[in-house]
């Protein structure tokens, strides 16, 4: 494919005739370009393939991160001591060993007073 040569004349950039010469050169170049009949279909297939691959890689990455976080959490819980901690030690005012909360005596906030008034 040969591109027609346009003779060069000593002109300043942007001078008179530069735009016409550029248009002619680009039209001559574009005239020699012929697209394949199935070029868009081929390019679109490539785009769709890359998009599916990107989504698959992202789904696998999210799954791996979720599994690693879950396994790390289970490992940390497994490393905890098996004895009772200070939260569930059965002292008054805290949860007892059966898992029910101990209720201290006296009025409670939000409880209704005489006549239903707080």
């Amino acid at each position: 494919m040969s591109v027609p040569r346009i003779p060069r004349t000593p002109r300043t950039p942007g001078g008179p005739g530069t735009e016409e010469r550029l248009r002619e050169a680009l039209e001559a170049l574009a005239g020699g370009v012929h697209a394949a009949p199935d070029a868009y279909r081929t390019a679109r297939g490539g785009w769709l393939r890359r998009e599916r691959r990107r989504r698959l890689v992202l789904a696998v990455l999210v799954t791996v991160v979720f599994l690693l976080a879950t396994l790390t959490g289970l490992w940390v819980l497994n490393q905890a001591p098996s004895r009772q901690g200070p939260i569930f030690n059965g002292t008054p005012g805290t949860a007892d060993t059966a898992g029910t909360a101990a209720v201290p005596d006296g009025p409670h906030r939000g409880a209704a007073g005489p006549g239903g008034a707080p």
Side-chain angles (χ1 to χ4, degrees), residues 48-66:
L48 291 175
R49 234 181 350 269
R50 284 190 293 274
E51 179 70 16
R52 279 192 303 267
R53 182 179 176 99
R54 184 183 64 82
R55 288 179 187 231
L56 179 65
V57 167
L58 184 63
V60 167
L61 183 64
V62 166
T63 303
V64 166
V65 167
F66 178 77

Side-chain angles (χ1 to χ4, degrees), residues 50-110:
R50 284 190 293 274
E51 179 70 16
R52 279 192 303 267
R53 182 179 176 99
R54 184 183 64 82
R55 288 179 187 231
L56 179 65
V57 167
L58 184 63
V60 167
L61 183 64
V62 166
T63 303
V64 166
V65 167
F66 178 77
L67 285 175
L68 283 175
T70 302
L71 291 175
T72 303
L74 290 174
W75 179 77
V76 166
L77 287 174
N78 192 33
Q79 299 301 316
S82 60
R83 61 178 175 78
Q84 258 189 343
I87 295 175
F88 300 109
N89 61 3
T91 59
T94 62
D96 61 10
T97 56
T100 58
V103 180
D105 295 333
H108 303 295
R109 239 177 226 244

